[in-house]
């Protein structure tokens, strides 16, 4: 008889880096303040994404499904998040926050669709470049739109 192995995979997902974690423009690329179909800026085009949107999420999660889930190996999306860029103002900030919520919803939904179990990474930061959802000092929800997006993506809301 063959031995029985118990195996699961865990991945972190911060794609595209330019949107989720990048804190300053570099010679090799600009930050993406916006993400997703219907969420590109008409006035700040240099910070629109040039890669890594819905089709990329679908492709990468599909590969994880094919390589692991379809073979009976569970996959945990052990961390994913997208930071807030609170130094933006006005319409740019509103569009950024809306696209960030859409990103969280989309990644959560597509993870579930592909059999991945997603875990949002709330590192507690509530300021610029933070991704915290909960204010741990006051035991309150700090970022309700992000929480709503995660719940909507999971089908819980």
């Amino acid at each position: 008889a063959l031995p029985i192995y118990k195996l699961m995979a865990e991945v972190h997902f911060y794609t595209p880096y330019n949107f989720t974690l990048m804190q300053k423009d570099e010679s090799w690329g600009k930050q993406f303040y916006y993400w997703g179909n219907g969420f590109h800026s008409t006035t700040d085009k240099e910070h629109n994404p040039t890669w890594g949107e819905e089709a990329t999420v679908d492709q990468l999660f599909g590969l994880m499904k094919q390589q692991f889930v379809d073979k009976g190996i569970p996959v945990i999306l052990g961390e994913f998040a997208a930071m807030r860029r609170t130094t933006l103002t006005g319409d740019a900030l509103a569009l950024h926050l809306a696209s960030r919520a859409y990103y969280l919803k989309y990644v959560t939904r597509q993870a579930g669709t592909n059999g991945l179990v997603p875990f949002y990474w709330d590192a507690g930061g509530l300021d610029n470049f933070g991704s915290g959802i909960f204010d741990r000092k006051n035991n309150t929800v700090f970022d309700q739109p992000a929480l709503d997006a995660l719940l909507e993506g999971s089908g819980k809301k």
Side-chain angles (χ1 to χ4, degrees):
L2 293 173
I4 297 174
Y5 296 101
K6 298 192 186 275
L7 178 70
M8 63 188 302
E10 189 265 344
V11 297
H12 296 182
F13 190 77
Y14 293 99
T15 301
Y17 170 79
N18 304 56
F19 180 70
T20 60
L21 294 173
M22 189 174 183
Q23 296 185 6
K24 65 184 180 86
D25 292 341
E26 299 288 355
S27 60
W28 52 264
K30 299 238 181 236
Q31 300 168 82
F32 301 161
Y33 295 167
Y34 319 104
W35 187 90
N37 185 29
F39 293 95
H40 287 204
S41 175
T42 57
T43 58
D44 184 17
K45 293 179 182 182
E46 74 175 359
H47 289 107
N48 283 332
T50 57
W51 68 281
E53 294 183 278
E54 292 94 339
T56 301
V57 173
D58 296 348
Q59 176 192 22
L60 294 174
F61 286 2
L63 289 170
M64 289 180 226
K65 179 182 184 301
Q66 179 183 13
Q67 184 66 33
F68 299 108
V69 177
D70 290 349
K71 296 175 183 173
I73 300 168
V75 177
I76 292 179
L77 195 62
E79 334 183 333
F80 78 101
M83 65 183 177
R84 280 181 301 278
R85 300 169 186 279
T86 57
T87 57
L88 298 174
T89 59
D91 292 342
L93 178 60
L95 183 59
H96 164 68
L97 293 175
S99 66
R100 181 175 172 269
Y102 173 68
Y103 174 87
L104 298 177
K105 178 180 174 180
Y106 193 86
V107 168
T108 302
R109 183 180 32 185
Q110 291 309 101
T113 297
N114 286 281
L116 315 176
V117 180
F119 287 83
Y120 181 80
W121 185 252
D122 180 339
L126 305 180
D127 53 356
N128 188 45
F129 300 139
S131 61
I133 293 179
F134 300 101
D135 180 336
R136 296 171 182 164
K137 289 181 184 173
N138 296 309
N139 199 30
T140 58
V141 174
F142 174 80
D143 191 341
Q144 190 68 52
L147 180 58
D148 290 344
L150 292 167
L151 292 171
E152 289 170 17
S154 71
K156 304 292 183 200
K157 183 169 184 175

